[in-house]
Amino acid sequence: MSDDAAQEGTVPVGTPAAPPRTGSSAQGPARGAHPAHGFGTALALTVAGTVVPGVAYLASGRRRLGAVVLVLFLVLVGGAVWLATGGRRDVVHLAVDSTALLWLIGGAVLLALLWLVVVVTGYRALLPRGTRGWQRALGGLVVLLLCAAVAAPAAAVVRIADAQRDLVDSVFDDGDSATVARPTDTSVPFDGKQEINVLLLGGDGGAGREGVRTDTVIVANVQVATGATTLFSLPRNLENLPFPADSPLAALYPNGFTAGSESESLLNAVYRNGPAAHPDVLGPTDDPGADFLKLGVGEALGLDIDYYLLVNLDGFSRLVDALGGITLNVNYYVPVNGDTATGALPDAYIAPGPDQHMTGTRALDFARGRYGLSDYLRMDRQRCVLQAIVDAADPVTLLRQYQDLARTTQDIVSTDVPSAVLGDVVDLAFDVKSAGIRSVVFDDTVINPAYPDYPKIRSLVQQALHPAPAGTPTAPAPAPATSSAPLAAAPSPGGNGGSVTEVADACAYDPAQAQAALDAGQPPTRGG
């Protein structure tokens, strides 16, 4: 070989050529490198890899990583499907567990971050060589939008979980109570009790009102084994509320609750006037008014009241508005404001008609209206409003408005249900939904609220909870002070009594009754 040949790098004749280098373009892409894709295909596969993580890795030739990511994704999808179907009870359990909600928030953030990594790295693995500048800019924009699509649901989950955690921690705060026995064995639902009694109160506090009057007083008796539920409604004007003999209140009120004038001694005034007269008689408690009522109402019905739940109607309208309104049937003219005692006429009336969509203010007027009507009709309407709220709380509305709903609920709801039994409450609530609810109303066809026959009330409660088998003769209940009518439920404006009925009966539309009211015309208002 000459010097010139060496310097020019020539190869003498007969010398074999060096073999091409492994992985050169002559033999195609190296193992693990992605196949050649056009820019449009790379974008399409990136979108697919966002919807179904792992697809982009598989398309780029990273089969092992893609398979792992895809399997993990399918496991998550399977878990979500199960939670939405057979695991709904577990979802609700999670929703009332503050610690579990905190883990959910952390898990949602971690999952979103990992998903974003999969989107970005999948796109980079698919991006073809020699991509032009405008294509890179477009690809970056698409990836950014895809990342936003991934982050948005995660952010929604975090917001909802955080709002729910605040709600649980604020409403079920395990404060002091004079009437709640803390559970001793959380492995047994409700410490082995066969039934749970919850006092449901509707407080009519607000602007222009002194204190809170509980115009709605209902006891929900729930059988733990079956979920069978019976609601016992007491009139707001019930007098001489008794107290258990072993309670310090029995010594203070030996003949039943009194607070000076008759109007201040009614059942709806106990919550405010009892603690005002004897603030420390029951010992440390966050809500002495509720404890007064739990003891008194329990004694009146012959039941041990376990917990209470108070809904203050002052913030009630905000709850209805957060749900987008509710739909109610109206069978007679319902007054808006007005004062029977002073003779001040209502400002207006809600006219009869089916399926009326009401805002929060309108629904509150519907629940409160009493001028010219009985307290028992108002009790019926309040139960109908509560049922309408349940009907309006569909999953889509709850998710969309959840933060507003949670904030509103914190403001208007208080209870002494311990956080330790919330899981048991969830299980019982599912059973209640399937077992159904009956309603027993102690109206003036059953008792005389001014002179109530409490032994008769207790007897009727036991008859409702433990009915005798068909054909079995039973001893008549003690006669009430002024009436021997049977147990009443869902009375109409005519005041007829009935038997134990479903709650929904009083809420159904009655065309004949509504038309009769329309034919009679609207009653007079303040404006003429």
Side-chain angles (χ1 to χ4, degrees):
M1 183 174 62
S2 65
D3 293 339
D4 291 340
Q7 292 175 359
E8 293 175 5
T10 59
V11 179
V13 178
T15 302
R21 289 176 295 176
T22 302
S24 68
S25 59
Q27 289 187 349
R31 175 179 294 185
H34 63 77
H37 291 300
F39 176 71
T41 302
L43 281 185
L45 288 171
T46 301
V47 174
T50 303
V51 178
V52 183
V55 168
Y57 290 145
L58 292 172
S60 68
R62 300 181 180 181
R63 295 183 178 86
R64 184 174 299 175
L65 178 60
V68 171
V69 173
L70 182 58
V71 168
L72 291 175
F73 171 71
L74 293 177
V75 169
L76 287 173
V77 170
V81 171
W82 179 79
L83 289 174
T85 54
R88 285 178 292 179
R89 184 172 298 203
D90 293 308
V91 172
V92 183
H93 270 280
L94 183 150
V96 297
D97 188 329
S98 182
T99 302
L101 287 168
L102 189 60
W103 279 102
L104 176 63
I105 292 172
V109 172
L110 178 61
L111 179 61
L113 291 175
L114 293 175
W115 207 317
L116 293 177
V117 171
V118 169
V119 172
V120 174
T121 56
Y123 168 71
R124 290 177 61 86
L126 288 166
L127 191 65
R129 297 184 181 89
T131 303
R132 297 178 180 178
W134 68 269
Q135 291 175 322
R136 290 183 179 275
L138 177 60
L141 178 60
V142 170
V143 170
L144 184 62
L145 293 175
L146 293 175
C147 289
V150 169
V157 170
V158 170
R159 286 197 303 270
I160 292 173
D162 187 57
Q164 175 65 13
R165 190 165 180 265
D166 286 343
L167 175 63
V168 171
D169 289 342
S170 61
V171 174
F172 305 98
D173 61 357
D174 292 336
D176 291 328
S177 172
T179 55
V180 172
R182 301 299 176 186
T184 58
D185 184 1
T186 56
S187 65
V188 179
F190 300 107
D191 266 353
K193 293 182 179 179
Q194 295 183 346
E195 64 182 23
I196 294 298
N197 297 296
V198 182
L199 178 63
L200 307 175
L201 303 172
D204 209 3
R209 298 174 181 267
E210 182 183 351
V212 173
R213 288 182 178 266
T214 53
D215 285 343
T216 300
V217 179
I218 301 172
V219 172
N221 173 275
V222 187
Q223 299 299 310
V224 174
T226 63
T229 300
T230 306
L231 303 180
F232 298 100
S233 298
L234 292 173
R236 60 183 287 277
N237 59 340
L238 188 71
E239 297 187 34
N240 307 120
L241 186 70
F243 295 99
D246 60 352
S247 165
L249 300 182
L252 293 172
Y253 304 103
N255 299 316
F257 182 81
T258 57
S261 66
E262 183 178 13
S263 64
E264 295 300 324
S265 302
L266 304 179
L267 176 62
N268 74 333
V270 173
Y271 184 91
R272 182 187 70 181
N273 293 340
H278 307 284
D280 302 316
V281 66
L282 295 176
T285 176
D286 290 345
D287 197 332
D291 288 326
F292 265 72
L293 280 174
K294 287 173 67 177
L295 293 170
V297 172
E299 181 68 12
L301 298 179
L303 300 172
D304 292 326
I305 307 298
D306 298 284
Y307 312 114
Y308 83 90
L309 178 71
L310 170 66
V311 178
N312 194 330
L313 295 182
D314 183 39
F316 172 82
S317 60
R318 289 186 286 125
L319 177 64
V320 174
D321 287 334
L323 287 169
I326 57 177
T327 301
L328 293 160
N329 294 312
V330 184
N331 291 319
Y332 48 87
Y333 282 100
V334 178
V336 178
N337 299 322
D339 189 333
T340 304
T342 63
L345 293 174
D347 297 323
Y349 280 88
I350 301 174
D355 300 327
Q356 295 194 35
H357 189 76
M358 298 187 184
T359 63
T361 300
R362 193 70 162 175
L364 186 57
D365 289 336
F366 178 82
R368 274 179 169 164
R370 190 170 70 244
Y371 183 90
L373 299 174
S374 70
D375 282 331
Y376 310 106
L377 289 176
R378 184 166 77 158
M379 290 160 61
D380 282 338
R381 294 196 308 274
Q382 289 174 345
R383 289 195 300 274
C384 294
V385 167
L386 293 177
Q387 183 62 50
I389 289 176
V390 173
D391 294 339
D394 62 274
V396 175
T397 301
L398 289 176
L399 288 175
R400 186 178 64 248
Q401 297 292 107
Y402 194 81
Q403 283 184 286
D404 287 342
L405 288 168
R407 282 194 296 266
T408 300
T409 303
Q410 290 180 48
D411 293 340
I412 70 174
V413 173
S414 59
T415 184
D416 60 358
V417 175
S419 59
V421 303
L422 288 181
D424 296 337
V425 171
V426 168
D427 291 332
L428 197 58
F430 275 88
D431 293 336
V432 168
K433 184 175 182 180
S434 60
I437 299 175
R438 298 186 307 158
S439 182
V440 177
V441 179
F442 290 101
D443 70 358
D444 55 0
T445 67
V446 182
I447 60 173
N448 181 347
Y451 302 97
D453 185 343
Y454 286 110
K456 176 179 175 60
I457 291 176
R458 298 181 192 112
S459 176
L460 291 175
V461 168
Q462 291 305 310
Q463 289 180 30
L465 294 179
H466 309 289
T472 302
T474 58
T482 60
S483 172
S484 59
L487 198 62
S492 68
N496 60 313
S499 60
V500 177
T501 61
E502 299 298 322
V503 176
D505 289 353
C507 307
Y509 183 61
D510 185 339
Q513 182 185 2
Q515 189 59 51
L518 290 170
D519 292 342
Q522 176 181 291
T525 63
R526 187 173 301 181

